[in-house]
Amino acid sequence: MAHWLYKSEPSSWSWQQQKDAGEKGTEWTGVRNYLARNNMRAMQIGDKGFFYHSNDGLEVVGIVEVCALAHPDSTAKDDPRWECVDIRAVRDMPNPVTLKDIKANPKLSQMALVTSMRLSVQPVTDDEWLEVCRMGGLDNPPV
């Protein structure tokens, strides 16, 4: 299983809205960056990811999982270049992990959230996954 980070502005799509989408989950639409799209193409069912509130909050607030493989993005109209996956909420992060705390942790200095801040869908290494989960108070993180 791979790990990912999904960024969303809470005013556009919040963690609460993601949880309210229920077991069915929702399309992760609107991504218009080739690298982020390619990241979604690489995802597999069951891959876990961090749900990150960008701009307002700047923190990892929850964990999601991929529940549908890459498919045409329904918001892309007739432009077949853009695809998305579906994700569903798995659990809250017991203690949200702030960008400030991530940047202050030497173990996370190479994390894409630190080095490629603008990328909306990013890979997370296994070690980064475990460290952010530890920082957030998850003793037995979902893998």
Side-chain angles (χ1 to χ4, degrees):
M1 291 286 158
H3 299 105
W4 308 94
L5 183 140
Y6 304 82
K7 287 183 171 184
S8 182
E9 294 181 25
S11 61
S12 297
W13 186 255
S14 70
W15 173 237
Q16 186 59 53
Q17 288 172 296
Q18 185 65 49
K19 292 192 302 183
D20 291 346
E23 189 66 22
K24 180 182 177 218
T26 186
E27 289 184 322
W28 195 256
T29 60
V31 174
R32 300 297 183 266
N33 173 284
Y34 288 107
L35 182 54
R37 181 214 51 200
N38 292 345
N39 286 337
M40 289 191 288
R41 284 181 173 175
M43 293 176 184
Q44 299 297 314
I45 300 292
D47 280 0
K48 302 295 188 286
F50 293 126
F51 192 101
Y52 178 83
H53 275 166
S54 62
N55 291 341
D56 182 22
L58 300 176
E59 59 190 0
V60 173
V61 294
I63 294 179
V64 296
E65 73 179 355
V66 175
C67 58
L69 296 176
H71 57 84
D73 181 330
S74 65
T75 66
K77 305 296 180 216
D78 295 325
D79 191 343
R81 293 177 296 172
W82 304 115
E83 298 176 8
C84 65
V85 295
D86 291 13
I87 61 172
R88 67 175 152 236
V90 172
R91 66 164 301 153
D92 294 325
M93 185 62 75
N95 305 307
V97 181
T98 67
L99 177 60
K100 181 180 177 183
D101 290 339
I102 289 170
K103 286 182 170 182
N105 186 328
K107 293 180 181 178
L108 301 174
S109 65
Q110 296 306 307
M111 188 174 182
L113 185 60
V114 174
T115 63
S116 303
M117 294 207 39
R118 295 187 56 95
L119 191 60
S120 61
V121 179
Q122 318 175 341
V124 174
T125 68
D126 292 345
D127 288 342
E128 293 165 348
W129 177 260
L130 292 173
E131 183 64 12
V132 172
C133 286
R134 183 196 65 76
M135 293 169 69
L138 287 177
D139 296 327
N140 297 307
V143 289

